């Protein structure tokens, strides 16, 4: 399963890890994804959503 938000499409970012001696190695930053029961098109479905979308109210959570 892809590490991607199903609402906004946010995925991993890439960059460099910098050591004390300034040696660069590649690394990745992952979005904070949560598995949430949400109402999608009138039915309850389990989706993976980033916390940014949850906080912004872009997802209607199911009880």
């Amino acid at each position: 399963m892809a590490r991607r938000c199903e609402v906004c499409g946010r995925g991993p970012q890439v960059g460099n890890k910098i050591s004390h001696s300034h040696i660069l190695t590649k690394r990745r930053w992952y979005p904070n994804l949560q598995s949430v029961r949400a109402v999608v098109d009138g039915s309850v479905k389990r989706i993976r959503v980033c916390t940014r979308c949850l906080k912004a109210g872009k997802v209607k959570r199911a009880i």
Side-chain angles (χ1 to χ4, degrees):
M1 182 178 281
R3 292 180 178 168
R4 193 162 291 277
C5 176
E6 295 184 33
V7 175
C8 66
R10 194 165 165 237
Q13 299 273 317
V14 294
N16 289 315
K17 178 171 68 174
I18 305 177
S19 69
H20 179 69
S21 61
H22 210 77
I23 295 172
L24 303 178
T25 53
K26 295 298 257 181
R27 64 155 292 183
R28 296 179 80 169
W29 285 268
Y30 296 106
N32 187 1
L33 295 179
Q34 304 294 320
S35 185
V36 173
R37 289 180 72 238
V39 178
V40 179
D41 299 327
S43 63
V44 176
K45 193 176 168 185
R46 189 171 291 278
I47 59 174
R48 292 180 72 183
V49 183
C50 67
T51 53
R52 188 186 289 182
C53 290
L54 285 174
K55 188 175 181 180
K58 294 181 182 179
V59 178
K60 175 73 172 128
R61 293 187 72 164
I63 298 169

